[in-house]
Amino acid sequence: MILTEAIARLMTATLFDKLWDEHLVESQTDGTDLIFIDRIFLHERTGSIALESLKAEGRSVFCPEQVFCCMDHIVDTFPGRGDETTMPSGRDFIVSLRHAAHNTGLTLFDLGDPRQGIVHVVSPEQGIVQPGATLVCPDSHTCTQGAFGALAWGIGSSEAEHALVTKTLRVRRPQTLRVTFNGNLSSGVGAKDLILHLIANHGAAGGSGYAIEFAGDTVRNLDMEARMTLCNMAVEFSAFTGLIAPDEKAINYLKGRPYSPSGDAWEKASTWWQSLHSDDGATFDRELMIDVSAIEPTVTWGTSPEHCVPISGVVPSDGDLASGLERARRYMDLQPGQKLDGLPIEAAFIGSCTNARLSDLRLAARVLRDRSVADGLKAICVPGSMAVRAAAEAEGLDEVFRKAGFEWRESGCSLCFFAGGEHFGYQQRVISTTNRNFESRQGPSTRTHIASPAMVAASAVTGRITDPRKLL
């Protein structure tokens, strides 16, 4: 009986359990597991530190052909940029990573390279992330790449050093949570609204200690770029990672990419990828079921991703100083019961690893076409990669943005976060496609409202937070 139950468990595994067990090197006595790491991504802000540390210790990268580097976090995005950056000491990080990557034989997507961009955009574009693989990067939004059925998560610089030298990491196995979205999305509602709705209703710590599998017919109907948006903000739900079982859409997306398999290797890989899914009857530690039919375009009002409401909603009136809600209201200069729809803004930002892919820019351009941004409003668009930028320009989307009054930039993380360089103004109210609305995230005391590309574009036109359905 016991043997039968054990066999049954093996035959009804979750996707996460399959990937974890496939990469399990050894279980440790302290309750952690040693996991094999297939691919590593570095960026200049933290990767340079890890590589310099290895050099100082006399250690070498074990498998340099599986390590990739991006310039993205502290680079300028102004047109015609060179090697300079507005970030304090930023040039030192850029130069350090460039030299270390060249000396170590790592693949570098440098400034001036048409493949350069934000790491979590570049990796799928190049076919570096693949179903069934483990991938880590010293960046919390590495979970974006779980959209392809990969086990991808963010790490620290010291963990990056360990992974670079040993191709392994010691990790405590998380529990499993399946979030099932079912139903048809209403017009003007997308993946950004889904994930904000989840966080608003279950809390920013709701996914803590879990690896999340997103499932359901709503998720199956999303395109790959929307799935990446969904997985991107799993970390805002405090999850270890987020992932989606690979299907025909994922496989077709990767076909022909520079680092994807080809020939017979492609046939073998794609056949295996199709087997990567949670088995019928697989048991998750926790389950959430969400009917999406009633979800509206959603926007944050406070200083946490959980501080968000439907566009028809109002700033909540409950909570005291201890809860953090009153502090958030004061910081954002909002009153209990105040409507978000119609709230004046001073700037709009479209960019980041969350919503700066081609489909995001197309959606925003639909709203902006033959319209102009409100007088006096600063509007910026930063494509997620130079490949996205080139594709958008080939379709004429850049002209739509420019004619509307948006600045059209080169690729990078840009104003997703304030690190001492370019920023929005003091207490300026901004609507943004980014993933975090923390205090001073986009500038000193800047007040950020995060939303979908459609809502950001609509709000830029009206000069007020606006339901995108009014303009779509």
Side-chain angles (χ1 to χ4, degrees), residues 24-35:
L24 178 61
V25 177
E26 184 179 69
S27 292
Q28 307 290 295
T29 57
D30 64 355
T32 61
D33 288 342
L34 194 64
I35 299 297

Side-chain angles (χ1 to χ4, degrees), residues 313-317 329 335-340:
V314 298
V315 176
S317 56
R329 284 191 292 260
Q335 300 300 316
Q338 186 172 351
K339 290 184 177 181
L340 272 296

Side-chain angles (χ1 to χ4, degrees), residues 42-335:
L42 304 173
H43 60 75
E44 81 286 3
R45 198 175 186 209
T46 53
S48 57
I49 297 172
L51 292 173
E52 285 293 336
S53 180
L54 292 186
K55 180 181 177 181
E57 296 171 0
R59 300 180 185 276
S60 59
V61 176
F62 180 67
C63 195
E65 66 272 18
Q66 296 296 337
V67 182
F68 304 84
C69 307
C70 271
M71 302 292 194
D72 62 0
H73 269 62
I74 50 177
V75 302
D76 275 337
T77 58
F78 296 108
R81 68 183 174 199
D83 290 342
E84 300 301 319
T85 174
T86 58
M87 303 294 183
S89 303
R91 193 173 188 278
D92 295 341
F93 289 100
I94 292 170
V95 171
S96 175
L97 180 65
R98 182 177 293 141
H99 288 169
H102 288 161
N103 292 336
T104 314
L106 311 182
T107 300
L108 172 64
F109 304 112
D110 204 345
L111 297 174
D113 190 320
R115 303 170 297 173
Q116 180 270 337
I118 304 172
V119 53
H120 315 305
V121 179
V122 170
S123 178
E125 280 180 347
Q126 296 299 316
I128 294 168
V129 63
Q130 293 171 16
T134 49
L135 186 150
V136 295
C137 173
D139 186 277
S140 58
H141 291 101
T142 305
C143 51
T144 305
Q145 302 176 58
F148 292 87
L151 185 53
W153 71 96
I155 57 175
S157 293
S158 59
E159 290 176 299
E161 294 175 37
H162 192 280
L164 288 165
V165 173
T166 70
K167 290 281 283 181
T168 64
L169 278 176
R170 195 172 66 177
V171 192
R172 190 169 299 277
R173 186 178 192 136
Q175 292 184 293
T176 55
L177 164 61
R178 180 163 57 188
V179 177
T180 303
F181 290 102
N182 283 321
N184 296 319
L185 292 173
S186 300
S187 175
V189 177
K192 186 66 161 289
D193 305 298
L194 291 180
I195 192 66
L196 286 176
H197 175 87
L198 172 67
I199 297 169
N201 283 273
H202 297 279
S208 180
Y210 292 97
I212 300 174
E213 179 176 343
F214 295 107
D217 54 28
T218 307
V219 174
R220 287 192 293 273
N221 290 333
L222 295 176
D223 62 31
M224 288 310 302
E225 296 190 349
R227 293 180 189 182
M228 283 185 258
T229 295
L230 194 61
C231 289
N232 174 272
M233 290 187 65
V235 68
E236 267 65 63
F237 196 42
S238 299
F240 173 78
T241 191
L243 71 163
I244 297 170
D247 58 8
E248 188 175 351
K249 288 181 182 178
I251 293 171
N252 288 341
Y253 181 100
L254 292 171
K255 190 171 185 179
R257 302 280 175 176
Y259 288 90
S260 291
S262 59
D264 290 342
W266 169 262
E267 296 303 323
K268 292 177 181 178
S270 59
T271 298
W272 179 57
W273 293 344
Q274 292 175 58
S275 72
L276 296 176
H277 54 79
S278 292
D279 298 321
D280 292 340
T283 300
F284 290 79
D285 295 299
R286 185 180 170 203
E287 296 251 18
L288 290 175
M289 305 286 289
I290 298 174
D291 179 0
V292 306
S293 59
I295 296 178
E296 298 180 56
T298 304
V299 59
T300 64
W301 63 265
T303 55
S304 164
E306 74 179 12
H307 295 159
C308 60
V309 293
I311 189 62
S312 63
V314 298
V315 176
S317 56
D318 60 333
D320 54 21
L321 282 174
S323 72
L325 294 184
E326 178 58 27
R327 177 188 171 98
R329 284 191 292 260
R330 289 183 183 178
Y331 178 86
M332 297 296 290
D333 190 27
L334 297 173
Q335 300 300 316

Side-chain angles (χ1 to χ4, degrees), residues 390-402:
E393 290 176 349
E395 295 182 11
L397 301 184
D398 60 316
E399 287 304 311
V400 175
F401 279 94
R402 287 191 176 104

